[in-house]
Amino acid sequence: NAGVTQTPKFQVLKTGQSMTLQCAQDMNHEYMSWYRQDPGMGLRLIHYSVGAGITDQGEVPNGYNVSRSTTEDFPLRLLSAAPSQTSVYFCASSFWDGGPHNEQFFGPGTRLTVL
Amino acid sequence: TQLLEQSPQFLSIQEGENLTVYCNSSSVFSSLQWYRQEPGEGPVLLVTVVTGGEVKKLKRLTFQFGDARKDSSLHITAAQPGDTGLYLCAGVGRGSGNTGKLIFGQGTTLQVKP
């Protein structure tokens, strides 16, 4: 099993450009999430999905779009990149049955710089 | 809004010392998780605590969930350089409308010097 994979590992964008961060998992997890990590702020939830066709907003959704057409893939789209979106982005997946356990398996991250 | 406050934010100690990291909130959580993250990698789950007052041990690491399920602590005995990393606590929300979303603390950067 590859677990959670993310591409690309590094990306530099100019302000106003758009791009898609890819995330895929092979563990048949229904629950997938996108986080951003900034120094001193832990991880903040951007968007999440409880299954194919269902997505919802997290703490910091502005400037990002997601879709979930398959169980395996959960891409994150930046519509018009801004310097404030410079961050490290992590995708995660988990098995969640509605109970207290929602242990996340994280990908290796994408380091994004917006100039 | 549920918040988790972690302390301290930075800790630099000598090999063999003991340390405790705290994760506090005014909100009740269904569970608390602890993750460890190394530079350039994603966080990796260490443990989940679910029951108030629960204590779990992982070799030299001891995790405790507060009786009221609002706080947790991580205690490391005889720290080693291999314990160096970023430690993150994360809570799963509780109550109606629970969506499984995790709230993360700011993290504690631990450096253990040989």
Side-chain angles (χ1 to χ4, degrees):
Chain A
N1 284 355
V4 179
T5 57
Q6 291 185 239
T7 55
K9 267 195 90 63
F10 301 94
Q11 183 70 49
V12 179
L13 292 177
K14 293 181 180 178
T15 297
Q17 287 185 317
S18 62
M19 80 159 295
T20 299
L21 279 63
Q22 301 292 344
C23 174
Q25 53 93 9
D26 61 359
M27 296 175 281
N28 204 32
H29 287 162
E30 294 290 336
Y31 201 102
M32 295 187 75
S33 308
W34 274 103
Y35 298 88
R36 60 177 289 172
Q37 185 173 36
D38 301 293
M41 301 188 75
L43 281 87
R44 292 182 292 168
L45 182 65
I46 304 171
H47 286 285
Y48 69 101
S49 168
V50 299
I54 307 169
T55 63
D56 205 348
Q57 297 181 349
E59 295 175 72
V60 289
N62 291 343
Y64 307 96
N65 273 2
V66 291
S67 59
R68 184 95 181 270
S69 55
T70 67
T71 298
E72 294 78 19
D73 301 297
F74 191 40
L76 178 72
R77 296 184 190 84
L78 280 71
L79 305 173
S80 178
S84 60
Q85 293 178 303
T86 293
S87 187
V88 182
Y89 291 85
F90 288 99
C91 178
S93 74
S94 62
F95 171 75
W96 184 56
D97 60 1
H101 291 271
N102 193 8
E103 289 85 357
Q104 311 278 292
F105 290 81
F106 284 88
T110 294
R111 185 174 295 274
L112 175 68
T113 301
V114 182
L115 302 175
Chain B
T1 303
Q2 294 180 304
L3 291 173
L4 274 170
E5 297 285 337
Q6 252 183 271
S7 61
Q9 287 199 21
F10 300 98
L11 203 49
S12 181
I13 61 173
Q14 293 294 134
E15 181 176 1
E17 292 184 9
N18 301 333
L19 66 117
T20 302
V21 177
Y22 299 94
C23 181
N24 295 306
S25 177
S26 59
S27 303
V28 176
F29 289 94
S30 296
S31 67
L32 250 291
Q33 303 168 13
W34 286 91
Y35 292 82
R36 180 165 166 262
Q37 184 180 18
E38 300 202 26
E41 299 181 7
V44 175
L45 180 72
L46 294 173
V47 79
T48 301
V49 285
V50 178
T51 306
E54 183 176 6
V55 176
K56 281 192 174 179
K57 292 192 175 184
L58 191 66
K59 296 183 181 178
R60 293 174 294 98
L61 279 61
T62 302
F63 304 86
Q64 185 160 7
F65 202 12
D67 290 341
R69 294 194 290 173
K70 293 182 180 181
D71 54 83
S72 181
S73 63
L74 157 61
H75 182 80
I76 301 179
T77 303
Q80 298 177 2
D83 295 325
T84 293
L86 176 67
Y87 290 82
L88 295 155
C89 67
V92 177
R94 183 174 179 265
S96 62
N98 178 26
T99 56
K101 291 190 287 187
L102 264 68
I103 304 296
F104 278 84
Q106 311 98 308
T108 295
T109 300
L110 171 64
Q111 180 187 44
V112 183
K113 293 179 276 190

